[in-house]
Amino acid sequence: MADAIRVLAMDGVEKAKSGHPGMPMGMADVATVLFSKFLKFDASRPDWADRDRFILSAGHGSMLIYALLHLTGYKAATKEELSNFRQWGSKTAGHPEYGHMPGVETTTGPLGQGLANAVGFAMAERHLAARFGDELVDHRTWVVAGDGCLMEGISQEAITLAGRYRLNKLTVLWDDNEITIDGKVSLSDATDQKGRFKAAGWAVKAIDGHDMGQIKSALKWAVKQDKPTLIACRTRIGKGAATMEGSHKTHGAALGAAEIAATRLGLNWTHDPFELPTEIETAWRKVGRRGAKARKAWEARLKASPLVADFTRAMKGELPSNAFEALDAGIAELVEARPAQATRAASGAALAKVFHAIPEMVGGSADLTGSNNTLVPDTVTLDAPDYAGRYVNWGIREHGMAAAMNGMALHGGVIPYGGTFMVFSDYNRPSIRLAALMGVRVIHVLTHDSIGVGEDGPTHQPVEHLAALRAIPNLLVFRPADTVEAFECWRLALESRGAPSAMALSRQKTDAVRVEAANENLSARGAYVLKAASAPAKATLFATGTEVPIALKARDTLEAEGVPTRVVSVPCFALFERQSAKYQAEVIGRGTARVAVEAGVRQGWERFIGEDGGFVGMTGFGASAPAEVLYEKFGITAEAVVAAVKARL
Amino acid sequence: MADAIRVLAMDGVEKAKSGHPGMPMGMADVATVLFSKFLKFDASRPDWADRDRFILSAGHGSMLIYALLHLTGYKAATKEELSNFRQWGSKTAGHPEYGHMPGVETTTGPLGQGLANAVGFAMAERHLAARFGDELVDHRTWVVAGDGCLMEGISQEAITLAGRYRLNKLTVLWDDNEITIDGKVSLSDATDQKGRFKAAGWAVKAIDGHDMGQIKSALKWAVKQDKPTLIACRTRIGKGAATMEGSHKTHGAALGAAEIAATRLGLNWTHDPFELPTEIETAWRKVGRRGAKARKAWEARLKASPLVADFTRAMKGELPSNAFEALDAGIAELVEARPAQATRAASGAALAKVFHAIPEMVGGSADLTGSNNTLVPDTVTLDAPDYAGRYVNWGIREHGMAAAMNGMALHGGVIPYGGTFMVFSDYNRPSIRLAALMGVRVIHVLTHDSIGVGEDGPTHQPVEHLAALRAIPNLLVFRPADTVEAFECWRLALESRGAPSAMALSRQKTDAVRVEAANENLSARGAYVLKAASAPAKATLFATGTEVPIALKARDTLEAEGVPTRVVSVPCFALFERQSAKYQAEVIGRGTARVAVEAGVRQGWERFIGEDGGFVGMTGFGASAPAEVLYEKFGITAEAVVAAVKARL
C-alpha cells in the first residue's frame, strides 16, 4: 500500500517535470500506518468537524497528501487531478493550498509554518472541547515535518508553546532523513532534536520509519501521552528509488524516465502511471471509509446535543445575531463623549464591547498585554488543564502566535486576535502573508504604530510598516483615527470572513475626530470625507490615525486664510479600492491641491495625492525622543501641511 | 561598584521618565565582574580591532551599557549624555544604536537580534583569526540576553549555528530573572533552557547572578570550553530596588521618586543623581584602562606584521584596488556575447568575477546553494576547526543567517552575502531592517523573484516583496534585467558601505537587453533610458528585471505601428531618487503615455507613471503552473503593455 504512494508521487512529479518526490517516498510507510490505523477521518466527509487534522508541514512533499487523498477516495482527488499536478487550474498545486483540495487543512511550503499552525489547531481543539464537551470535540492533530521545519526559528516558538500548554493531542512525525537540499543535514546542523523537544516539554520516541511494527507501536504510544509527542522517524529520502534512494537529488526534481522504470521494476510495480492494482485500490478505499461509523455516531451526538445550534454556528464562522449590539450602541455614545485617548485604548474599548458577545473570540498578546490593550476585563486565561479560558499568553513569540492564530482560524470555531508592537509585524510577516493567501479571519492588533512610540527609538518605531502591510494582497490594514473609527474597524475586521486584518494603533493619546453621527459605518468606505470644505474645495487633505487631527488643524488654518479645504480620513486603503469609481473620484478630488499626512513613508500615497501631491511624513527611520519632539523635528505638523498646500495652490 | 550601575540606571530612567531599569539593576553584578576581570577592552580606544565584543541583546536594558561606558571612561559617555538619556540628539538612545555611542557594537532592541548578531561576530572573529593569525585576531564575544531573546525563534537559529560551528569564543550571559513584561516567565513558557542549549551543542552552567564568586568562576570556566557557552545567571529583576525588586513592574518604567529615595537609602548611596563617589569612580576608571597594555602590545604586533596593510584595509572596509578589474572587463565582453540566462545565473557569474578579487567576501545560502547561485567555484567551506573557508552553509535559517551577516559586517573585515528565495525575505526582514537602520554592508541574494518561480506556486512567488523591500529606508533593492545589469548592480552593492543591498533575481531564463557598450555604470542611475524612441517619444515604458524584454517587445510593436516609444530600465528605485531633478524629469518623460511592467504589485510605481499611468503586473497572489503559463494567465505580456499604451494615447 505504501508503494502506491511512492509510485503516484514519482509519476506525478515526472508528469509535471517539477516537484519533490523524495519526501513522499520516504514517508510513505509512516503515512500508510497513520492513515490506515490511527487518523480519524472519513474520506466522504472532509468537513467533518471532529476529524483528526493532518498537517503536511513539509509542504514541498505535496504529492504525499494528494496521493493519500486519492487513494482513500476523496471525491475531489481524482486521477485527472493527480496527473495535472502543478498545472494551471488544477487542485493539486505545487504546495498544498488551503481551499483548493478538500483534505488539505492549511497552506504549507514556507517551512515551519505547518508545524506552528498545528499548535493553533491543537489549542483550538482543546478549547472547543472545554466549551462543547468531549462528545463533540475530541480529535488529534498530526504533523509531518522535515528537517527544514525544525531548523526554522518558528519551530522553536511552536514547540515551546505546545510544551507549555501541554497539547497532548498533537503529534509531530519528523521525517528524520538526514538530508537537506544542499546535502547532509550535518553540513549545517548538529542539533540533538530529541533533546531539544524534551527540553520544550515533549515526549519523544525514535523509530525506524520503514518498520511498520515500530511505526504502529510509536503511534499507539503517542496517543497515550500527557504531553505533545515527537516521533523521530528515521527514513531514507526517495525510499524505493532504484539508484537514487537516500540522495538529496530525489528532494526537488523529477527522477527521470530511466530511474522510474528501474524503480517500478524494483517495486515489482507493473501498472501504468496513475493506474492502481485493484486489490491495493480496494484496500485504500476501505481505509477511506474506516471513520464513517464514528462520524455517523458523532453526527447523532451533535443532533442530540443542546449545543447543536451554537456549535454549528461557531464552526461555520457565523457571528451571533447580537454580536454588534453593544458596539453599535457604543458608537452613538462616542460621538457625544468624544474621548481623547490612544487608539490602542480605543481598540481595547471596542474589544470590551464585542468580546463577551462573540464567544468564539480568543485573544492574546506576545507578552505586551498591557501595552496592546488586548485583555478584556473578566477574561479567564486559556491554560492547561482547563482550556476554557479565552486569553492566551503567547510569550515573546510573535511569529509562533501569528501562525498558531492561523491554525485556530483554520480549525474553525475560534476567531483569534493577537497583539504585538507594530514594528514586530516584521517578525510574523510570513504568517500574516499566509493568512492573506488562505483568506482566513485572524486579527492582528498592532499597537505603537509610528514615531509616536517616542523614546524607545527607531528599532521600535514603524516607518515603512504601513506601506509594507498594505502591499500584501487580501490583507485589510486598518488605521483608525479615534474611538469611533476603532469601533467601526473592529466590526469590519470581525465581519471579514475571507481576509485577515491588521489594526495599526497608536501608543499616544489623540483627539476624537468623529464628532457627528453617521448613518453608516464610514470606515467601510476605506476613505471618506470627514470634514467638508466651507465652499467649493481648493484643497484636499488626506490622513490616517493620529495624523487626522493634524490635518484638521491644518484645515482650520487654511479655511481661516480663505482656502476652502476638505479633510479625508483613510482608515483602510484596501476597502477604498472596493468602492465605485464614482465614489473614489469624489473622495480623491482632482483639481484640488492634494496633500497627505501620515507618520510613515510616502510609498502608496500617490493613489490619493497623484504625482504632484504633497506628502508630509517620514523619509527615513525615526529617533529616540519624546513623541511630541519627534513630530516637531521630523516636521509632521499642521504648519507643514499648510505649507505643502500653499506650495500647490 | 555594581551599585553604581544600579543607581545610574535608576536615575537615567527617572530623569527621562522612560526606560527599563529592571534589567541593568539585575545584571549589574554580572556586568561588573565581566568588565573588571574578563572583557578585553580599552576605554580610550573603542575601535581597537582585537577588543572583545560586548553585545547587549536585551537592548531595552540600554542603561546597563551606557552606565558601563560612562564608568569605565569612554570619552563620549559623559555625565551629560547619561542625563540626556532618550532625548533628541543624545547618544544615549532608548535602545543602543550602533554609530551613536562608541562601545555600542550593534543596534539592539528587537529581541533575539543581538544574540544572532553575536554568532556573526564570533564567526567573523574565527575566520579572520584563520586569515590573519591569532596574534592579530583573538578575542571573544559576550552577550547579555534575556528571556525574551531566548523565546524568540531567531534564538534557536542562532544557537544551533553557534553549536554547529563550535564557536567557543562566544558566551551568552542569560539574565535568568524569571520575569517578562506580562509577569512570570512561567505564564507563557516552561522550557528547560539549559537542556535546550545543550541539545544545540553548548556547554552550560547555572549560577547565582548576584554571587561575585560564582560569577567569576563561571566566566573563568567559560573561556576554557571548546564549545559556545551559556551561563544561566539567576537574578532578581530590579535588584536593589527597595520594595519593587523581583517585580515585573521594574521592567519598563521609571521607579518613581519615592522608590528611588528608599533604594538609595537601602544601598547607602548618598550622592546626587549622576554623581559618583570618588573611590568608586577611580576603581571603575582603572577597569577602563585594564586593557591598555594588551592593546599597545597588539598595536606593536600589527605594526610588525607583514599583513598590516591587508588587515588594516580589510578592517576599514576598503576594497582592494583591483576589486572590479575582472568584473568591468566582463561587462565589455557581455555586451558582445549577449547571454540569455536567468539573472540568478548572471549574479553567479558576477560573483565569480569579484569573489576571488575581494578576500573579505564571505558567501553562503540558507540551504539553497544550487538555486541561489551563491557558491563560486573553488571556494572552501567555512567550518570548524578550520575557519579559513569563505562559504557558510547556513542551513534552513534565513533569519539567523541575516542577523549573523549583520554581525559579521559590524565586526569588520568581512563583507557577507547570503542567499535565499526572495519570498523568504519575509523570514529575515527584521534583520534586513536593522542592517538598513545601522547602515551596514550586507548583500542579500534573493532569487526566484516573481511568478516566474512557476510550479511551486503562490507560497514561493513574491508578489508584494519588491514593494515591501523598497519601503525600507536605506536599503538598496536591485532588480537587474540581464547579465550586464547584474554585474553593475553587484559592483554598486559592494561599493555601498553605508547601506545594505537586496538583489532580486529571476529563476527563469531571460534575454540580454544591454547590447550596447556604455561609458558608465548605468544601473548607478537607478533608472535610465535603455532604448530611445525613434522620434520624439509618445510613450515611455518602464520595467525591471525579467519584464524588461516584455517592454522591449511592446516597443517593437508600438514603433511598428507608428508610436515612438522609449524603454526605461529601473534596476534600483532608491538610486534613482539620488539623481538630479533634471535627470529624473528626463527619464520620467511626462507628457508621454506612461506604462510600467513588473511582475509584482503596483504600489510605488506611481512615482514613475503618475496617477494615470498604466501598470501591467499583479493584483493578487500567484498560482501553481509553469512560468510561461502564469505570465500569460496573469496578463503580463507585451500585448497588455501595448494595449495599456494605446488606451492612454
Side-chain angles (χ1 to χ4, degrees):
Chain A
M1 285 172 79
D3 286 344
I5 299 173
R6 293 194 169 96
V7 175
L8 286 173
M10 196 167 73
D11 288 344
V13 173
E14 183 67 17
K15 176 89 190 297
K17 299 279 176 223
S18 165
H20 302 75
M23 194 282 254
M25 295 176 80
M27 284 297 277
D29 298 320
V30 173
T32 299
V33 175
L34 174 65
F35 271 66
S36 59
K37 304 278 183 203
F38 292 88
L39 190 80
K40 178 165 84 167
F41 78 110
D42 176 352
S44 73
R45 294 294 296 270
D47 59 345
W48 175 20
D50 199 34
R51 70 191 180 277
D52 282 3
R53 265 57 167 190
F54 175 71
I55 313 286
L56 190 72
S57 189
H60 52 274
S62 53
M63 271 308 300
L64 178 65
I65 191 165
Y66 299 143
L68 286 162
L69 298 176
H70 174 66
L71 290 166
T72 54
Y74 278 74
K75 222 179 275 174
T78 61
K79 197 164 74 170
E80 289 64 42
E81 285 291 347
L82 258 66
S83 64
N84 273 323
F85 181 50
R86 298 186 150 227
Q87 303 309 304
W88 180 263
S90 78
K91 295 189 174 75
T92 47
H95 291 80
E97 301 281 341
Y98 173 72
H100 290 216
M101 173 75 84
V104 170
E105 305 282 3
T106 179
T107 296
T108 52
L111 292 175
Q113 295 288 337
L115 171 57
N117 293 162
V119 171
F121 274 97
M123 209 181 256
E125 190 273 345
R126 284 295 78 200
H127 173 68
L128 293 171
R131 180 175 170 198
F132 292 108
D134 281 353
E135 63 280 8
L136 294 188
V137 183
D138 183 13
H139 52 266
R140 299 186 61 82
T141 306
W142 306 89
V143 182
V144 168
D147 292 295
C149 293
L150 301 196
M151 289 171 80
E152 292 285 0
I154 189 176
S155 68
Q156 180 66 14
E157 301 185 21
I159 72 171
T160 53
L161 280 169
R164 168 62 185 79
Y165 289 102
R166 300 188 77 80
L167 300 173
N168 69 317
K169 300 196 146 212
L170 172 64
T171 297
V172 171
L173 304 160
W174 167 32
D175 181 18
D176 178 18
N177 63 17
E178 302 184 290
I179 292 291
T180 72
I181 291 176
D182 278 356
K184 293 200 170 178
V185 167
S186 58
L187 273 179
S188 60
D189 191 44
T191 307
D192 165 16
Q193 294 290 4
K194 296 186 284 281
R196 172 195 177 204
F197 274 77
K198 279 181 200 158
W202 290 52
V204 174
K205 203 180 223 1
I207 60 166
D208 175 346
H210 302 304
D211 179 323
M212 296 308 211
Q214 285 191 35
I215 299 167
K216 203 170 141 184
S217 55
L219 294 176
K220 238 187 208 163
W221 162 87
V223 301
K224 287 188 203 137
Q225 303 307 306
D226 63 350
K227 308 171 175 187
T229 38
L230 172 75
I231 302 176
C233 309
R234 176 56 55 89
T235 63
R236 304 258 300 158
I237 193 170
K239 171 78 177 173
T243 70
M244 291 160 73
E245 177 182 310
S247 162
H248 67 111
K249 287 175 193 158
T250 67
H251 167 83
L255 300 183
E259 178 76 6
I260 288 178
T263 302
R264 277 195 142 67
L265 216 61
L267 297 177
N268 200 14
W269 191 277
T270 53
H271 290 71
D272 282 342
F274 310 108
E275 296 295 335
L276 298 169
T278 314
E279 70 277 24
I280 286 184
E281 187 167 19
T282 308
W284 268 114
R285 287 292 192 281
K286 208 172 135 193
V287 167
R289 289 189 303 269
R290 254 183 56 233
K293 207 170 134 187
R295 189 254 306 163
K296 282 177 196 155
W298 177 87
E299 282 170 351
R301 288 201 300 280
L302 177 63
K303 213 173 150 186
S305 167
L307 302 171
V308 58
D310 243 20
F311 180 84
T312 307
R313 183 190 56 70
M315 290 303 293
K316 275 191 187 163
E318 287 168 2
L319 300 175
S321 55
N322 65 344
F324 300 116
E325 259 172 33
L327 189 82
D328 290 346
I331 290 179
E333 291 159 21
L334 287 167
V335 170
E336 299 300 321
R338 305 179 182 184
Q341 61 183 345
T343 55
R344 62 177 167 142
S347 166
L351 274 171
K353 297 284 185 190
V354 291
F355 187 76
H356 293 303
I358 305 177
E360 290 74 45
M361 290 181 76
V362 173
S365 165
D367 197 46
L368 291 167
T369 294
S371 298
N372 298 148
N373 297 65
T374 36
L375 180 60
V376 173
D378 304 321
T379 304
V380 176
T381 296
L382 187 156
D383 206 344
D386 178 5
Y387 295 91
R390 290 171 56 200
Y391 195 79
V392 182
N393 289 305
W394 290 109
I396 301 137
R397 303 184 184 97
E398 300 83 8
H399 201 176
M401 170 177 76
M405 282 164 61
N406 288 354
M408 287 175 152
L410 289 162
H411 179 280
V414 171
I415 302 172
Y417 70 90
T420 187
F421 288 156
M422 190 175 186
V423 83
F424 300 136
S425 63
D426 280 352
Y427 273 73
N428 54 22
R429 190 170 169 89
S431 301
I432 295 177
R433 179 178 210 257
L434 283 167
L437 176 57
M438 292 189 277
V440 293
R441 175 172 48 186
V442 298
I443 303 170
H444 289 274
V445 178
L446 304 173
T447 70
H448 297 58
D449 67 353
S450 74
I451 53 168
V453 165
E455 291 89 344
D456 272 347
T459 55
H460 284 55
Q461 293 163 354
V463 162
E464 74 278 26
H465 296 76
L466 283 166
L469 289 168
R470 287 173 184 146
I472 299 178
N474 198 40
L475 173 67
L476 300 181
V477 181
F478 293 104
R479 192 168 188 240
D482 70 358
T483 313
V484 173
E485 280 197 3
F487 277 38
E488 290 179 342
C489 293
W490 262 105
R491 176 166 185 154
L492 293 165
L494 286 162
E495 289 179 329
S496 167
R497 290 173 63 171
S501 300
M503 298 266 177
L505 301 164
S506 76
R507 172 183 188 234
Q508 76 276 28
K509 202 184 264 199
T510 188
D511 286 335
V513 299
R514 282 281 290 284
V515 296
E516 286 170 47
N519 53 10
E520 62 169 299
N521 182 328
L522 290 172
S523 297
R525 298 282 194 165
Y528 64 91
V529 178
L530 170 67
K531 196 151 177 102
S534 61
K538 287 191 180 162
T540 304
L541 307 180
F542 301 88
T544 73
T546 44
E547 283 73 75
V548 174
I550 294 174
L552 288 169
K553 198 176 156 202
R555 178 187 175 278
D556 288 347
T557 308
L558 288 163
E559 288 271 353
E561 298 186 17
V563 183
T565 302
R566 313 183 307 149
V567 172
V568 174
S569 180
V570 192
C572 182
F573 279 39
L575 291 180
F576 183 67
E577 296 299 338
R578 296 188 193 166
Q579 306 304 309
S580 69
K582 183 163 166 280
Y583 178 81
Q584 291 183 11
E586 276 169 25
V587 169
I588 283 180
R590 282 197 173 203
T592 63
R594 290 178 284 163
V595 173
V597 50
E598 181 172 82
V601 297
R602 180 189 181 106
Q603 189 187 99
W605 271 105
E606 288 88 351
R607 174 73 179 87
F608 291 89
I609 56 175
E611 198 167 9
D612 297 315
F615 181 71
V616 175
M618 299 292 290
T619 56
F621 294 105
S624 172
E628 56 282 9
V629 176
L630 293 175
Y631 271 82
E632 197 60 42
K633 294 287 185 185
F634 286 112
I636 303 177
T637 63
E639 292 69 39
V641 174
V642 169
V645 167
K646 287 185 178 167
R648 278 161 187 83
L649 282 173
Chain B
M1 284 171 77
D3 286 343
I5 299 174
R6 294 195 168 95
V7 174
L8 286 172
M10 199 168 68
D11 288 343
V13 173
E14 183 66 16
K15 176 90 190 297
K17 299 280 178 221
S18 165
H20 302 76
M23 194 281 254
M25 296 174 79
M27 285 297 278
D29 298 320
V30 173
T32 299
V33 176
L34 174 65
F35 271 66
S36 59
K37 304 279 182 203
F38 291 88
L39 190 80
K40 178 165 85 168
F41 77 111
D42 177 353
S44 73
R45 294 294 295 270
D47 60 343
W48 175 20
D50 199 34
R51 70 191 180 280
D52 282 1
R53 265 61 167 186
F54 175 72
I55 314 286
L56 191 70
S57 189
H60 52 275
S62 53
M63 271 307 300
L64 178 66
I65 192 164
Y66 298 144
L68 286 161
L69 298 177
H70 174 65
L71 291 166
T72 54
Y74 279 73
K75 221 178 279 175
T78 61
K79 197 163 72 169
E80 289 63 44
E81 285 290 347
L82 257 66
S83 64
N84 273 322
F85 180 49
R86 297 186 150 229
Q87 304 309 306
W88 180 263
S90 78
K91 294 190 173 76
T92 47
H95 291 80
E97 302 280 342
Y98 173 73
H100 291 217
M101 174 75 85
V104 170
E105 305 282 2
T106 179
T107 295
T108 52
L111 293 174
Q113 295 290 335
L115 171 56
N117 293 161
V119 171
F121 275 96
M123 210 182 256
E125 190 271 347
R126 285 293 78 200
H127 173 68
L128 293 171
R131 180 175 170 197
F132 291 109
D134 282 351
E135 64 280 8
L136 293 187
V137 184
D138 183 13
H139 52 268
R140 301 186 58 82
T141 305
W142 305 89
V143 182
V144 168
D147 292 296
C149 293
L150 301 197
M151 287 172 82
E152 292 286 359
I154 189 175
S155 68
Q156 179 66 15
E157 301 184 20
I159 72 171
T160 52
L161 280 169
R164 167 62 185 79
Y165 289 102
R166 300 188 77 82
L167 300 173
N168 68 315
K169 300 196 148 213
L170 172 65
T171 296
V172 171
L173 305 160
W174 168 33
D175 181 18
D176 177 18
N177 62 15
E178 303 183 291
I179 292 289
T180 71
I181 291 177
D182 278 355
K184 293 202 169 179
V185 167
S186 58
L187 272 180
S188 60
D189 192 44
T191 307
D192 165 16
Q193 294 290 2
K194 297 188 280 284
R196 174 196 177 203
F197 274 77
K198 279 181 200 159
W202 289 52
V204 174
K205 203 179 227 0
I207 59 166
D208 175 346
H210 301 305
D211 179 323
M212 297 307 212
Q214 284 191 35
I215 300 168
K216 201 171 143 186
S217 56
L219 294 176
K220 233 184 211 166
W221 162 86
V223 301
K224 287 188 203 137
Q225 302 307 305
D226 62 352
K227 307 171 175 187
T229 39
L230 172 75
I231 303 176
C233 310
R234 175 56 55 91
T235 64
R236 305 257 302 158
I237 192 167
K239 171 80 178 171
T243 71
M244 290 161 74
E245 177 183 310
S247 162
H248 67 109
K249 288 174 193 160
T250 67
H251 167 82
L255 300 183
E259 177 78 6
I260 289 178
T263 302
R264 277 195 142 67
L265 217 60
L267 296 177
N268 200 14
W269 191 276
T270 54
H271 290 71
D272 284 341
F274 310 109
E275 295 298 333
L276 296 169
T278 314
E279 69 278 25
I280 286 183
E281 188 167 20
T282 308
W284 269 114
R285 287 291 193 280
K286 208 174 137 194
V287 167
R289 290 188 303 268
R290 256 183 54 232
K293 205 171 137 187
R295 190 255 307 163
K296 283 176 194 154
W298 177 87
E299 283 171 350
R301 288 200 300 280
L302 176 63
K303 213 173 150 186
S305 166
L307 301 171
V308 59
D310 243 21
F311 180 84
T312 308
R313 182 191 56 71
M315 290 304 292
K316 277 193 187 162
E318 287 167 1
L319 300 174
S321 55
N322 66 344
F324 300 117
E325 260 173 29
L327 190 82
D328 291 345
I331 289 179
E333 290 159 21
L334 286 168
V335 171
E336 299 299 321
R338 306 179 183 184
Q341 60 183 344
T343 54
R344 62 177 166 142
S347 167
L351 274 171
K353 298 284 185 190
V354 291
F355 188 78
H356 294 302
I358 304 177
E360 289 76 45
M361 289 180 77
V362 172
S365 165
D367 196 47
L368 290 168
T369 295
S371 298
N372 298 148
N373 297 66
T374 36
L375 180 61
V376 172
D378 304 320
T379 304
V380 176
T381 297
L382 186 155
D383 206 342
D386 177 6
Y387 296 89
R390 291 172 55 202
Y391 194 79
V392 182
N393 289 304
W394 290 109
I396 301 136
R397 303 184 184 94
E398 300 82 7
H399 201 176
M401 169 177 77
M405 281 164 59
N406 288 355
M408 287 175 153
L410 290 162
H411 180 281
V414 171
I415 303 173
Y417 69 90
T420 187
F421 288 155
M422 189 175 189
V423 82
F424 300 136
S425 63
D426 280 350
Y427 273 72
N428 54 22
R429 189 169 170 91
S431 302
I432 295 177
R433 180 178 209 256
L434 284 167
L437 175 58
M438 293 189 277
V440 294
R441 176 172 47 186
V442 298
I443 303 170
H444 288 275
V445 178
L446 304 173
T447 69
H448 297 58
D449 68 353
S450 74
I451 52 167
V453 164
E455 291 89 344
D456 272 348
T459 55
H460 284 55
Q461 291 163 354
V463 162
E464 73 279 24
H465 296 75
L466 283 166
L469 289 167
R470 286 173 186 147
I472 299 177
N474 198 38
L475 173 68
L476 301 180
V477 181
F478 293 104
R479 192 169 188 238
D482 69 359
T483 313
V484 173
E485 280 197 5
F487 277 38
E488 290 179 343
C489 293
W490 262 104
R491 176 164 186 156
L492 293 165
L494 286 161
E495 287 179 330
S496 169
R497 288 173 65 170
S501 300
M503 299 265 177
L505 301 164
S506 76
R507 172 183 188 233
Q508 76 274 28
K509 201 183 267 198
T510 188
D511 286 335
V513 299
R514 282 281 289 282
V515 295
E516 284 169 48
N519 53 11
E520 63 171 294
N521 182 329
L522 289 172
S523 298
R525 298 282 193 161
Y528 64 93
V529 178
L530 171 67
K531 197 152 176 100
S534 60
K538 289 191 179 161
T540 304
L541 308 180
F542 302 88
T544 73
T546 43
E547 284 73 74
V548 174
I550 293 175
L552 288 169
K553 200 175 153 201
R555 178 188 175 278
D556 287 347
T557 306
L558 289 163
E559 288 271 353
E561 299 185 16
V563 183
T565 302
R566 313 182 308 150
V567 172
V568 174
S569 180
V570 192
C572 182
F573 278 40
L575 291 180
F576 182 66
E577 296 300 337
R578 296 188 194 166
Q579 307 304 307
S580 70
K582 181 161 168 280
Y583 179 81
Q584 290 184 9
E586 277 169 22
V587 168
I588 281 179
R590 283 193 172 205
T592 64
R594 290 179 283 164
V595 173
V597 51
E598 181 171 83
V601 297
R602 180 188 181 107
Q603 187 177 302
W605 272 103
E606 287 88 353
R607 175 73 179 90
F608 291 89
I609 57 174
E611 200 168 5
D612 298 316
F615 181 71
V616 175
M618 299 292 290
T619 57
F621 294 105
S624 171
E628 55 282 8
V629 174
L630 294 175
Y631 271 82
E632 196 62 40
K633 295 286 184 182
F634 287 112
I636 303 177
T637 61
E639 293 69 37
V641 174
V642 169
V645 168
K646 287 184 178 170
R648 278 161 188 82
L649 280 174

